[in-house]
Amino acid sequence: MVSDVAVQSILNNTADAVEEMIEGLVLLNPSLKRLGGHNVVVRASLDRSKVALVSGGGSGHEPSHAGWVGEGMLSAAVCGAVFASPSTAAVLAAILHVTGPAGCLVVVKNYTGDRLNFGLACEHAKALGLSVELVVVGDDCALPHRGLGIAGRRGLAGALLVHKVAGAAAAAGGSLEKVAAEARSTAASLGTVGVALKTCHPFGTLVEERIAAGSMEVGLGIHGEPGASLARLAPADAIVDEMLRMIVSTEEGCSYLELPRGERVALLVNNLGAATPIEMCVVARRAITALRSVHGVCVSRVYSGAFMTSLDMSGVSLSLLRLDDERIARLDAPAAPLAWPASATPAADAAPLPPPELPSGAQTSYVPAADATTPPILSSEQQAATLRAVRAAAEAVCALEPLLTEWDQKVGDGDCGATLQAGGGGGLA
């Protein structure tokens, strides 16, 4: 449903948003520079004796792609308008600026505009005598083979792991052939599925809520494209289980990522924009435990955060990458971009530590039962009357929760109604 209300945003002008975003990013990070005349972010200091790595695409996916520029990852990121591919000229300018004798690897996600504009820029660069390779990442596991047409699988958040592996290979001094081969191998070992409760809202457009309350879209893209299916909203564990099932499916026409038991994987839990930290931890919890207990794989590395967003989309995506020793070393290699997580080794379990013994009377979450030999203070009639009064009060408190919450939102932190409802519910139990 499209409303007549425009999307609100903290911007000066939607037309200048990408350029001003880049200026802010460069001011926040002295190791980055903007390439004059283009919305291209590059490393302030380049070692052109090593293979350069260029990526990019439409904006609106931050920190992708400019947030991954830095030693150990991208040499340059080319930023288009929101959800729009950058121009061929901007891509070519980025390639020319960063490429030295070792050559340049260009990595893009599988979208028509990106393949066209980045591909043309690569051909221009080759015509100028530069050594350039192009790798296209398509890690979407939501659509069946027969539904892909000639476009193929969409590129999603798993592309970030290709950046990391290829960037580490380049930093280690690998040849263009070696870096490109590792990037292609990594892309072929990836699978991603996303789920959203609300779609994204591009700046300056009318608010559209395509996903009805109580529903979720499964297998949607990162530009607000409709999902592969619409389903009723389910508990987090059930959602995660379905996402993992789709990624590792062996069904005919839907098999993309073969994951035998005992395989080592990296798990990427990606915030599509507006998922809360609580939701992200709940999703990560189930994904890690289900991969271990249900699928029988070893989660060797896990990354959780906002890596490839879709503006303010309320949802998450899960990516799995098959690992070997070399790929683990690439993921663990140093990387300068501030958005890259510092640590990625998951804990063996979430078992709690033993709690300290509390002093007598400190435990107020329950009322101790009376000694069976102690005679009742109240008569049976008085007990029944007291129970009726307590239940009536509890029911009244629960019924007034919306009003109590509304009042507390005006003068406090908005939790009074819910707190009293929880207490009333205890009285009704």
Side-chain angles (χ1 to χ4, degrees):
M1 180 179 66
V2 180
S3 74
D4 57 359
V5 178
V7 173
Q8 298 186 86
S9 54
I10 306 175
L11 298 173
N12 294 310
N13 186 311
T14 55
D16 300 327
V18 174
E19 183 174 350
E20 293 181 354
M21 177 270 292
I22 291 175
E23 290 176 359
L25 180 65
V26 170
L27 287 171
L28 289 168
N29 193 335
S31 67
L32 303 180
K33 292 292 184 182
R34 180 187 172 198
L35 203 57
H38 301 282
N39 285 336
V40 175
V41 176
V42 299
R43 298 183 198 173
S45 177
L46 287 164
D47 181 358
R48 292 183 177 84
S49 68
K50 295 181 178 179
V51 172
L53 190 62
V54 172
S55 189
S59 296
H61 306 300
E62 287 67 33
S64 294
H65 301 84
W68 308 118
V69 176
E71 182 67 28
M73 292 188 75
L74 300 182
S75 306
V78 192
C79 306
V82 172
F83 296 168
S85 179
S87 68
T88 299
V91 179
L92 180 60
I95 295 173
L96 294 177
H97 177 77
V98 301
T99 306
C104 177
L105 177 66
V106 178
V107 178
V108 296
K109 298 180 299 301
N110 188 29
Y111 293 101
T112 303
D114 290 341
R115 293 192 66 157
L116 178 63
N117 292 340
F118 280 81
L120 285 173
C122 289
E123 295 305 314
H124 280 301
K126 290 177 184 177
L128 295 172
L130 298 180
S131 297
V132 180
E133 291 277 354
L134 176 68
V135 171
V136 179
V137 181
D139 52 317
D140 184 14
C141 295
L143 298 174
H145 296 295
R146 61 182 179 277
L148 297 175
I150 61 173
R153 300 165 67 188
R154 296 173 295 192
L156 301 174
L160 168 65
L161 299 175
V162 178
H163 295 164
K164 181 62 181 70
V165 171
S175 66
L176 178 57
E177 181 181 15
K178 169 66 173 172
V179 175
E182 288 198 38
R184 292 190 178 101
S185 175
T186 302
S189 303
L190 268 173
T192 299
V193 166
V195 166
L197 312 185
K198 290 185 179 181
T199 188
C200 55
H201 305 95
F203 305 130
T205 63
L206 296 179
V207 175
E208 177 185 4
E209 298 299 349
R210 185 180 69 239
I211 306 173
S215 300
M216 60 181 182
E217 277 192 353
V218 182
L220 71 173
I222 54 173
H223 309 94
E225 309 98 315
S229 64
L230 188 67
R232 290 184 61 82
L233 182 60
D237 286 3
I239 295 173
V240 171
D241 288 349
E242 175 61 12
M243 296 169 75
L244 293 176
R245 184 200 66 77
M246 295 174 70
I247 294 173
V248 302
S249 173
T250 58
E251 296 176 14
E252 184 178 356
C254 298
S255 178
Y256 293 107
L257 184 67
E258 183 180 353
L259 202 62
R261 300 184 74 84
E263 187 84 59
R264 291 177 293 172
V265 298
L267 167 67
L268 183 78
V269 184
N270 176 57
N271 189 338
L272 286 169
T276 65
I278 291 177
E279 291 169 300
M280 291 294 291
C281 286
V282 170
V283 168
R285 162 195 164 274
R286 179 57 184 174
I288 294 170
T289 56
L291 285 168
R292 288 170 171 171
S293 62
V294 178
H295 299 278
V297 298
C298 174
V299 183
S300 298
R301 298 293 182 271
V302 61
Y303 310 92
S304 179
F307 301 115
M308 190 171 290
T309 61
S310 184
L311 292 175
D312 61 342
M313 183 180 288
S314 179
V316 298
S317 67
L318 298 178
S319 301
L320 295 179
L321 171 64
R322 290 199 308 265
L323 297 177
D324 56 24
D325 290 344
E326 182 179 47
R327 201 166 282 158
I328 290 175
R330 298 302 193 206
L331 292 177
D332 291 348
L338 298 179
W340 182 251
S343 176
T345 303
D349 57 54
L353 296 172
E357 184 176 349
L358 299 179
S360 176
Q363 181 64 278
T364 59
S365 61
Y366 69 94
V367 177
D371 190 307
T373 62
T374 303
I377 299 175
L378 302 178
S379 68
S380 58
E381 292 80 7
Q382 291 173 324
Q383 291 180 42
T386 301
L387 178 60
R388 288 195 298 272
V390 170
R391 291 188 66 87
E395 289 171 352
V397 167
C398 290
L400 287 171
E401 183 275 328
L403 183 59
L404 294 169
T405 296
E406 180 184 354
W407 289 347
D408 195 33
Q409 286 174 339
K410 294 178 179 179
V411 299
D413 55 5
D415 70 337
C416 182
T419 301
L420 292 177
Q421 185 185 47
L428 293 171

